[in-house]
Amino acid sequence: MNIDRRSFSALAPAVVLAGAGGLVSRTARAQAAAFPSKPIRIVCPFAPGGGSDFIARLTAGKLGERIGQSVLVDNKPGAGGVLGTEIGVKSAPDGYTLLLIAGSYTVNPALYKLNFDPVADITPVVQLSRGAYVLCVNARVPARNLQELLALARKDPGKLTFASSGAGGHLHVVTEYMFEMAKAKATHVPYKGTGPAVNDLLAGNVDMLFAGTEALMQHVKAGKLRALAVSTAKRLPAYPDIPSVAESGLPDYDVVAWHGLVAPKGLPPAVLARLSTELNAMLRAKDVEERLEPTGVGAAGGTPEEFGALIRAELVRYGKVIREAGIKAE
């Protein structure tokens, strides 16, 4: 059999590349099969002690029990979560660095100039939690329900005040979203965190606050605040007496307070599958449900594709709200 030497020379690089590709593929499969062989880091772009930190540490502990490796939480707060997010997104795509994100992840691209693409530069892994915000007013506000509150806001635009954990934060955006949908107006009063906002709400220095149930419901139960509505389309099983914003006159309003895990782009499919399987099994465990239930938060779970769809949808929705309301970051 005669082989043209020039043809062979032209084919040789392709043969070498094909062989190299096969070697890389085999190496990736081997690495995935051995995963995890060392500790995993969860970057939490928020300070210790808050709701995000609680979810990150619960996940780290329970995931570590399932996979037989240490899972460590690395808090990297700053710039509304952007600082730690960039660290997580730009880590090696090997499964050993995961990034905890919350609803603020879908708000920040419209507020900050980011050094990464919030969709193209990540691999969604799983939605961890699904909860709601609760809208509370202090005792001085005469409204007994959301309809009455919105009527007051329409009658005297800007007179009522609402607190948030910071200008451009998720709580700020979802409150503006409600008032925009209701064609009403209230004045925003930003604070440096949810804690100070709750304190001023209790003191009567601000009229209302949308925040997590863990921050507000203890004061509602003590009779110091009045809960008017929850942000999700349906009522919360933990607080069935509080109507939703949707059933209170704004049927299209549905805001979920969520957390989830993502990895950098390029995560090997086999590693993603292992993480998804273990995390979903963890979220179905009764002891995890028992840890979450007192906070009014439920375990979510689902596929990476479902979580990716949620992220993309909220980027579009909140980007529109921010532009139309003229919201700026601090």
Side-chain angles (χ1 to χ4, degrees):
M1 179 178 177
N2 294 322
I3 300 177
D4 189 302
R5 291 183 181 273
R6 287 171 298 179
S7 298
F8 181 80
S9 298
L11 286 171
V15 172
V16 171
L17 286 174
L23 177 61
V24 170
S25 178
R26 288 195 297 273
T27 301
R29 286 197 298 269
Q31 289 173 342
F35 179 85
S37 59
K38 61 182 181 180
I40 293 174
R41 175 177 68 148
I42 296 178
V43 177
C44 178
F46 306 99
S52 296
D53 183 64
F54 166 73
I55 295 293
R57 293 184 186 280
L58 174 62
T59 300
K62 295 302 179 181
L63 178 61
E65 291 175 6
R66 289 196 59 83
I67 63 176
Q69 281 287 351
S70 297
V71 182
L72 311 173
V73 175
D74 187 7
N75 296 90
K76 298 289 185 182
V82 174
L83 179 63
T85 298
E86 186 170 339
I87 292 172
V89 167
K90 294 188 175 182
S91 298
D94 53 12
Y96 291 101
T97 297
L98 303 174
L99 170 67
L100 182 96
I101 63 172
S104 57
Y105 182 85
T106 61
V107 166
N108 286 338
L111 296 168
Y112 299 95
K113 184 178 180 180
L114 303 179
N115 295 318
F116 60 90
D117 187 301
V119 173
D121 287 342
I122 64 166
T123 301
V125 178
V126 71
Q127 181 182 343
L128 294 169
S129 66
R130 177 184 175 88
Y133 297 127
V134 58
L135 178 64
C136 287
V137 296
N138 65 53
R140 299 179 187 179
V141 177
R144 310 301 298 184
N145 53 52
L146 181 58
Q147 294 95 326
E148 292 180 3
L149 182 74
L150 294 176
L152 289 173
R154 294 187 188 104
K155 182 180 178 181
D156 198 347
K159 182 178 180 180
L160 290 172
T161 57
F162 72 90
S164 81
S165 56
H170 201 236
L171 299 181
H172 178 194
V173 173
V174 301
T175 309
E176 291 281 15
Y177 180 40
M178 181 188 71
F179 280 113
E180 178 189 346
M181 189 176 288
K183 295 180 170 51
K185 185 171 180 58
T187 298
H188 177 223
V189 181
Y191 290 83
K192 293 187 179 299
T194 303
V198 172
N199 290 339
D200 254 18
L201 180 66
L202 290 166
N205 297 326
V206 68
D207 295 317
M208 71 190 92
L209 172 66
F210 239 141
T213 54
E214 73 282 355
L216 292 173
M217 288 309 297
Q218 57 182 316
H219 305 297
V220 172
K221 292 176 181 177
K224 297 178 181 179
L225 298 176
R226 188 181 310 125
L228 301 188
V230 295
S231 64
T232 43
K234 296 181 180 180
R235 299 188 184 201
L236 293 178
Y239 306 107
D241 295 334
I242 306 175
S244 67
V245 172
E247 68 181 285
S248 301
L250 300 175
D252 293 330
Y253 190 90
D254 181 16
V255 169
V256 176
W258 55 262
H259 290 89
L261 286 178
V262 301
K265 68 177 180 181
L267 185 69
V271 172
L272 175 60
R274 175 76 193 281
L275 286 168
S276 177
T277 297
E278 297 294 352
L279 286 161
N280 273 285
M282 179 204 82
L283 291 167
R284 291 191 296 267
K286 186 173 179 58
D287 58 343
V288 171
E289 180 183 344
E290 290 172 347
R291 290 282 302 278
L292 291 173
E293 188 175 9
T295 69
V297 174
T303 67
E305 292 76 16
E306 289 169 336
F307 187 34
L310 171 68
I311 292 170
R312 291 191 298 274
E314 293 206 349
L315 282 166
V316 173
R317 174 166 61 166
Y318 293 132
K320 182 174 183 289
V321 172
I322 289 165
R323 289 191 300 273
E324 293 183 351
I327 296 173
K328 303 295 183 183
E330 291 180 312

